[in-house]
Amino acid sequence: KNKKISIAIDGPAAAGKSTVAKIVAGKLGYVYVDTGAMYRAITYKILKMKIDIKEESLLRQLLSETNIELKPATNGQIILLDGKDVTNEIREAEVTNTVSSIAALGIVREEMVLRQQQMGQDGGIVMDGRDIGTHVLPHAELKIFLLASVEIRAQRRHLENVQKGFPSDLVKLKEEIALRDKQDTEREISPLRKAENAVEIDTSNLSIDEVADEILALAMERMEEV
Ligand code: CDP
Ligand code: CDP
């Protein structure tokens, strides 16, 4: 009883994946892996080093030389890129607007998926992203697909920005989120979609705690089953 399971949480941008995944992982004493942060970190490095992504061998070398660490912290998670804290930098607009095109590259995905599967190999993990249930952890005992309308998702991000004192434009946010969703859904390799056996939760009218509780209840059920 109480075998450590794997929980995959997928869904479009700002559906509440990372917020809820952190809570669920905390309550279960599991490791939380934010795979979006990994794609953001590599995007940040590519932009910073002005790497031409059409140069496949350069890109491969860059990937093999890049160290990305996700470290738990009191207020969530710290992202270390080659030992340097880039937690805030990877949320900047330039990265946000570029990440989906970098994440569509086969070379990049192969490497990231491999690393994510290594992190998840012992279970006791909550991983969020776009292709976790379909591709990274296809055998996860619990798969969740979070949804909310684009209006609500943009409003949530906007509120989050305002609270943090960041500049924020609701109309632009909505456009950015819709474009990223389109790119993530329409790409050829591991596009964003709900895994066949995933439980869909529309969070539009749910609080963070309501979503977390629903996932925790499902997790308890699955633990009994294994
Ligand atoms: O938090 P937010 O919804 O803004 O996005 P994120 O989870 O940080 O992911 C940023 C981008 O990384 C997504 O828009 C996808 O293009 C890409 N991504 C992906 O392709 N596969 C994943 N498993 C996670 C993220
Ligand atoms: O990780 P993802 O991009 O899917 O979304 P997030 O960053 O976890 O959540 C986006 C924002 O929505 C955060 O500010 C959350 O606090 C908020 N949220 C909410 O208001 N209600 C929910 N049921 C879930 C998230």
Side-chain angles (χ1 to χ4, degrees), residues 12-14 17 34-37 39-40 91 99-100 103 109 128-132 157 180 184 187:
K17 300 182 297 298
D34 177 353
T35 64
Y39 289 98
R40 284 174 179 274
R91 305 286 157 194
V99 61
S100 286
R109 297 206 75 78
D128 84 335
R130 303 291 187 287
D131 60 338
I132 311 307
R157 267 289 146 80
R180 211 141 51 85
D184 292 344
R187 72 172 173 233

Side-chain angles (χ1 to χ4, degrees), residues 72-120:
T74 37
N75 54 345
Q77 200 162 48
I78 288 176
I79 318 303
L80 296 177
L81 173 66
D82 302 323
K84 185 180 170 279
D85 184 345
V86 293
T87 313
N88 295 324
E89 286 85 343
I90 62 167
R91 305 286 157 194
E92 284 168 4
E94 200 189 2
V95 174
T96 300
N97 293 328
T98 314
V99 61
S100 286
S101 54
I102 301 296
L105 302 171
I107 299 175
V108 173
R109 297 206 75 78
E110 265 168 44
E111 177 67 25
M112 293 299 139
V113 168
L114 215 69
R115 295 186 191 192
Q116 291 154 11
Q117 287 174 335
Q118 278 164 3
M119 294 173 179

Side-chain angles (χ1 to χ4, degrees), residues 98-197:
T98 314
V99 61
S100 286
S101 54
I102 301 296
L105 302 171
I107 299 175
V108 173
R109 297 206 75 78
E110 265 168 44
E111 177 67 25
M112 293 299 139
V113 168
L114 215 69
R115 295 186 191 192
Q116 291 154 11
Q117 287 174 335
Q118 278 164 3
M119 294 173 179
Q121 64 189 356
D122 299 324
I125 197 158
V126 182
M127 197 177 280
D128 84 335
R130 303 291 187 287
D131 60 338
I132 311 307
T134 54
H135 195 64
V136 179
L137 303 176
H139 304 297
E141 287 85 353
L142 178 58
K143 299 180 185 178
I144 302 291
F145 197 79
L146 290 187
L147 280 173
S149 71
V150 68
E151 283 78 16
I152 286 181
R153 290 185 283 128
Q155 273 165 17
R156 286 176 177 170
R157 267 289 146 80
H158 181 61
L159 188 70
E160 191 184 332
N161 288 339
V162 171
Q163 281 169 347
K164 286 181 183 162
F166 295 165
S168 188
D169 178 331
L170 184 59
V171 177
K172 269 197 195 149
L173 262 177
K174 201 178 141 183
E175 282 169 7
E176 174 260 301
I177 287 176
L179 175 65
R180 211 141 51 85
D181 284 355
K182 184 173 155 59
Q183 289 177 310
D184 292 344
T185 312
E186 292 180 357
R187 72 172 173 233
E188 239 164 88
I189 311 165
S190 312
L192 165 66
R193 72 186 159 75
K194 177 180 168 291
E196 230 170 88
N197 52 351

